[in-house]
Amino acid sequence: MGLGGMVRRLGRYLGVPASSRFRLLGPDRPPATPGDGWDSPRVAQRQDAAWRSLLDQMRAGHPRNDMLALRDALLASGLRAPSLLEVGCGSGYYSEILSHLVSPMLRYAGVDRSAAMLNLARQHYPSIPFVRGDAVRLPFAARAFDIVLNGNALMHILDTDAAVAESVRVARTWCVFHTVPTLEGRPDQYLKKSVYGEAVTEVVLDQARLEGLFGRHGLTIRARYPSIPHPYLDPLVGKTRTWTYLCGN
Ligand SMILES: C[S@@+](CC[C@H](N)C(=O)[O-])C[C@H]1O[C@@H](n2cnc3c(N)ncnc32)[C@H](O)[C@@H]1O
């Protein structure tokens, strides 16, 4: 088995989604493409299926470490029954995770750019509001939610600056950026890969630049929790560390 196969196997063992066909683009932001792999119904189905078994494990008392990182961040916010918007909500499974691990009183809403993801979300959770929209132009008023959670989507949004600015605009008190892989001492690195068989573009962010960007948008980092590693990135861009940030504004 080659290095790629070993990395994918390790990724599956750690519960990381199956990724393949990596291509490093380098530090310059590529032009936005009209659509990407997340729009594909097949990708939505496959990601959802992978998370259904993680939900079963959570209900059996074994939540994965990224769920625990987010739980800790949200509990540290001190809000007992917050309204929360998840940006990049996918098929909505974090509504269930947060109700289970944080509080059933948390009032969840989700936004995603992919209609395929939202179709599944509405099937699973018909009473929860799911809205189609882009992280860089959120279809919500200023200060509409107590907490804006970027749910493992920052690395998929190529305009990081606009995504952070929009989260800050829509949040009343807290912004959480969940499961963000970062590099130390290296500039942002863009890459293309295939996720569940479809092409997506990702960015691995320079940690110092990202944390500086939070500050420039008026955010203070209150806590930073290690989330699950993305070992498939390291052979490509160097050692990465994955964080869940709790930021106050
Ligand atoms: C890796 S999935 C994350 C799903 C879920 N939040 C989680 O934590 O597992 C990334 C999601 O971000 C969404 N996404 C990517 N770019 C987006 C954008 N610019 N605006 C809104 N959603 C976006 C994708 O459609 C996809 O559902």
Side-chain angles (χ1 to χ4, degrees):
M1 184 187 304
L3 180 63
M6 279 162 63
V7 169
R8 278 194 295 283
R9 219 165 145 170
L10 179 63
R12 276 198 296 276
Y13 172 73
L14 291 168
V16 178
S19 301
S20 60
R21 287 188 273 159
F22 304 95
R23 186 156 64 86
L24 186 60
L25 303 176
D28 300 320
R29 172 145 57 106
T33 47
D36 69 3
W38 299 111
D39 301 332
S40 150
R42 193 170 73 119
V43 171
Q45 287 284 359
R46 289 189 63 185
Q47 178 175 261
D48 188 67
W51 278 82
R52 292 292 128 199
S53 60
L54 292 171
L55 290 176
D56 288 341
Q57 287 170 32
M58 175 193 75
R59 290 187 210 100
H62 306 291
R64 201 171 70 173
N65 282 347
D66 48 345
M67 301 179 188
L68 295 177
L70 184 56
R71 175 201 66 185
D72 292 348
L74 292 177
L75 290 178
S77 77
L79 298 178
R80 282 188 60 245
S83 57
L84 176 146
L85 174 70
E86 184 184 8
V87 178
C89 63
S91 53
Y93 37 83
Y94 261 104
S95 62
E96 202 172 332
I97 295 167
L98 299 184
S99 173
H100 192 84
L101 294 181
V102 179
S103 167
M105 292 189 303
L106 183 146
R107 288 162 290 136
Y108 174 100
V111 61
D112 202 287
R113 207 177 55 180
S114 159
M117 293 285 179
L118 294 174
N119 286 342
L120 283 178
R122 291 178 185 126
Q123 280 168 34
H124 287 304
Y125 309 105
S127 63
I128 289 182
F130 289 103
V131 175
R132 190 156 184 216
D134 196 317
V136 300
R137 277 180 304 277
L138 288 172
F140 300 99
R143 298 168 58 78
F145 296 88
D146 295 321
I147 302 174
V148 173
L149 160 67
N150 184 296
N152 191 8
L154 203 54
M155 72 182 302
H156 305 294
I157 302 164
L158 302 188
D159 191 344
T160 314
D161 201 329
V164 172
E166 274 298 84
S167 289
V168 171
R169 183 183 68 78
V170 172
R172 201 167 299 131
T173 38
W174 298 100
C175 291
V176 176
F177 299 92
H178 181 41
T179 307
V180 188
T182 62
L183 287 165
E184 252 177 309
R186 286 200 72 193
D188 299 348
Q189 296 292 321
Y190 294 88
L191 58 119
K192 277 203 178 298
K193 71 171 194 186
S194 158
V195 64
Y196 301 113
E198 300 283 344
V200 295
T201 311
E202 290 185 345
V203 56
V204 187
L205 295 162
D206 167 3
Q207 186 176 321
R209 189 183 87 79
L210 174 65
E211 295 182 0
L213 190 64
F214 290 156
R216 278 208 302 290
H217 286 287
L219 293 174
T220 304
I221 300 171
R222 304 287 181 194
R224 203 173 61 182
Y225 303 85
S227 190
I228 50 165
H230 286 41
Y232 62 87
L233 291 172
D234 293 9
L236 212 64
V237 298
K239 176 74 186 143
T240 57
R241 298 213 288 172
T242 311
W243 299 108
T244 290
Y245 289 94
L246 173 66
C247 301
N249 66 9

